[in-house]
Amino acid sequence: MTAAVPPATTPQKTHRYLRLALVLIVFTLLVSVALQSVVVTWEPLVFGWQPLASISHAFYTPGRDVFVGALFAASVVLLALSGRSRATTLLDVCAVFAPLIAIVPTGLADPRAVGHLPCPVTVDCIPAEDIGTAKAGIAVYVVVVVAVVVATAVIRHRTRTPDRSARLVSIIAVTTAVVVVALAFAPALNESFPFNFWPVHSIHFAVTLLFFGVFSAVPILHAGGPLEPGESAPTPRQRSLYRWISGLLIADLVLLVVALLFRQTFGETPIVFVGEAVALILFAVFWGVQTFQRWDDPNPPSIIGRASAPR
């Protein structure tokens, strides 16, 4: 008689659903962008074919709420999956950058921006009314980052659980907050905000590259085998998939940089749109594969107590 499979514990279910949530967040964002590319107007409903220049341009469409909400949701889930390995430390760093992709919009050649920034054909800027929105978002971001860093430091001190990775993430978060608040508000730096991040020019593009650049190391780390005590080992096929995901993601990031530098050459070809879509799909595929790799892990690192972990 086959032994009964023990029911999953509540922590196991939570861990599974957090991972699957990242897949669904990407799916939601892609659905929103796809609909926005085939709907000319929502009231009255008129269909057509108007692909966005990039997924980030959803910020300027009726899909803006979905775009911003998806990025904030992804940041929260990444933090909730925090563990003790190098890979989960990198995911925490990704969670630091994700909200800024939503807060600081991408460039848009729009005559409404004239008056705040010069907006020649070859240089993007953003509508004047969105300058204040971005600065308000950065102000909130900085306050929240400081609050979270202080709260986690107090918790670590009171529970006597020193954590070097948490300290590293806190340093990166505070440094990021200091940089963006200086770029947004320092009189000597903010004249061309949000296109004053040297040498990448666009703050939005810089944090997008940082997000996917940091994340690209995560699959390759998992391709090497288990990173945590009790973690299910990846199968040979899963190891191969992780390597392919990392390699394709790095190649895709190079494509995005080339597309930005030579966008006049590509003309109307939506290279950035394709590059961002590929990056998002690779991100979702990784989480889908790893969710099923670790489906039956009894003590996932994001929920096991640090006190019980080996030191």
Side-chain angles (χ1 to χ4, degrees):
M1 203 174 160
T2 306
V5 178
T9 63
T10 298
Q12 280 180 307
K13 290 180 180 179
T14 300
H15 189 257
R16 294 171 183 174
Y17 299 154
L18 281 172
R19 289 177 174 277
L20 288 174
L22 284 168
V23 180
L24 292 174
I25 287 169
V26 173
F27 178 72
T28 301
L29 180 54
L30 292 176
V31 167
S32 174
V33 171
L35 288 175
Q36 197 58 52
S37 296
V38 298
V39 175
V40 177
T41 65
W42 289 94
E43 186 59 43
L45 185 61
V46 177
F47 291 98
W49 176 240
Q50 291 185 336
L52 302 178
S54 73
I55 289 177
S56 298
H57 278 74
F59 183 90
Y60 300 106
T61 72
R64 176 173 180 163
D65 290 348
V66 175
F67 174 77
V68 173
L71 287 166
F72 274 91
S75 178
V76 172
V77 174
L78 289 170
L79 285 175
L81 288 169
S82 178
R84 301 176 300 276
S85 70
R86 290 171 295 168
T88 49
T89 299
L90 292 175
L91 294 178
D92 288 343
V93 175
C94 289
V96 172
F97 297 134
L100 288 174
I101 300 174
I103 291 171
V104 184
T106 188
L108 179 72
D110 192 316
R112 291 175 297 171
V114 176
H116 174 76
L117 295 173
C119 195
V121 175
T122 57
V123 177
D124 288 340
C125 42
I126 69 175
E129 60 267 27
D130 289 321
I131 298 288
T133 301
K135 289 188 174 183
I138 285 176
V140 174
Y141 174 84
V142 171
V143 173
V144 172
V145 163
V146 172
V148 170
V149 168
V150 171
T152 53
V154 170
I155 292 171
R156 291 198 305 271
H157 176 73
R158 292 182 65 86
T159 57
R160 298 180 181 179
T161 52
D163 187 339
R164 291 181 180 178
S165 65
R167 285 197 292 270
L168 174 62
V169 174
S170 295
I171 291 170
I172 293 173
V174 171
T175 301
T176 301
V178 170
V179 170
V180 294
V181 80
L183 292 173
F185 296 103
L189 299 174
N190 72 344
E191 181 179 357
S192 299
F193 175 83
F195 303 99
N196 53 343
F197 187 89
W198 185 88
V200 184
H201 177 62
S202 168
I203 295 174
H204 175 91
F205 194 72
V207 291
T208 300
L209 288 179
L210 286 170
F211 177 90
F212 284 111
V214 171
F215 177 76
S216 66
V218 176
I220 201 66
L221 287 174
H222 283 287
L227 301 178
E228 304 272 3
E231 176 183 331
S232 299
T235 65
R237 178 175 293 182
Q238 289 168 341
R239 288 173 186 259
S240 179
L241 279 171
Y242 293 153
R243 294 190 186 99
W244 273 102
I245 290 169
S246 285
L248 289 172
L249 193 51
I250 292 170
D252 187 59
L253 292 177
V254 173
L255 173 66
L256 284 173
V257 172
V258 171
L260 178 71
L261 294 176
F262 300 99
R263 53 186 169 176
Q264 298 303 313
T265 302
F266 290 108
E268 297 297 322
T269 306
I271 297 296
V272 175
F273 180 90
V274 173
E276 290 181 340
V278 169
L280 284 171
I281 291 170
L282 291 171
F283 178 85
V285 169
F286 168 78
W287 286 109
V289 173
Q290 200 190 53
T291 296
F292 291 102
Q293 173 200 328
R294 305 183 62 177
W295 189 263
D296 293 318
D297 281 4
N299 291 306
S302 59
I303 57 177
I304 187 173
R306 289 183 184 270
S308 63
R311 297 192 183 187

